[in-house]
Amino acid sequence: MTLRMPRLTGTAAAVTAGALLGLLGVAPSAMASAQAGGASFYTGGQQTGDETAVDLDAVGVCRSLPLSARSAVNLSAQDIDVFFRPGCETGTPAAPGDTYYVLGSLHTASFPFPALSYRVLPTA
């Protein structure tokens, strides 16, 4: 069986992508800055404030955020582990433990604690 999909024009593709991002609950500012296939952290809740782009090429490498993040958007095909302690250490800001956050592909997040570091996971 062959599945044939019509090719979307540039305008139709942009409208479709905008509708998808709107359904995901991505803020308009995040839609403008986090390109499809990218991911970003934000200093404010609900994808507001200063933006830090995720280095999606650094798979498996712990990265520190220059500013603590309260929210994020992930429009990539990769999942991202988010940590609330420096050096990708699990736990809460108050104490080590097993707490961390998995920011899934095509998801947004508001974190329970300020995020300090992250690790991009390989695609399955």
Side-chain angles (χ1 to χ4, degrees), residues 2 23 25 27 30 38 43 47 55 64 71-72 81 86 90 95 99 106-107 110 120:
T2 302
L23 289 173
T43 56
Q47 296 78 47
D55 182 1
S64 295
S71 62
D81 285 344
T90 57
T99 303
L106 301 178
H107 279 79
S110 290
V120 176

Side-chain angles (χ1 to χ4, degrees), residues 76-89:
S76 76
Q78 296 163 279
D79 291 343
I80 302 167
D81 285 344
V82 181
F83 301 91
F84 309 114
R85 297 180 62 81
C88 296
E89 180 184 353

Side-chain angles (χ1 to χ4, degrees), residues 52 61-67 85-88 116-118:
T52 300
V61 177
C62 180
R63 295 283 190 188
S64 295
L65 290 166
L67 300 169
R85 297 180 62 81
C88 296
L116 302 179
S117 56
Y118 70 92

Side-chain angles (χ1 to χ4, degrees), residues 10-55:
T11 303
V15 169
T16 302
L20 174 62
L21 295 175
L23 289 173
L24 288 172
V26 177
S29 62
M31 285 192 281
S33 56
Q35 299 298 316
S40 294
F41 288 98
Y42 297 88
T43 56
Q46 299 180 0
Q47 296 78 47
T48 60
D50 293 336
E51 177 186 20
T52 300
V54 172
D55 182 1

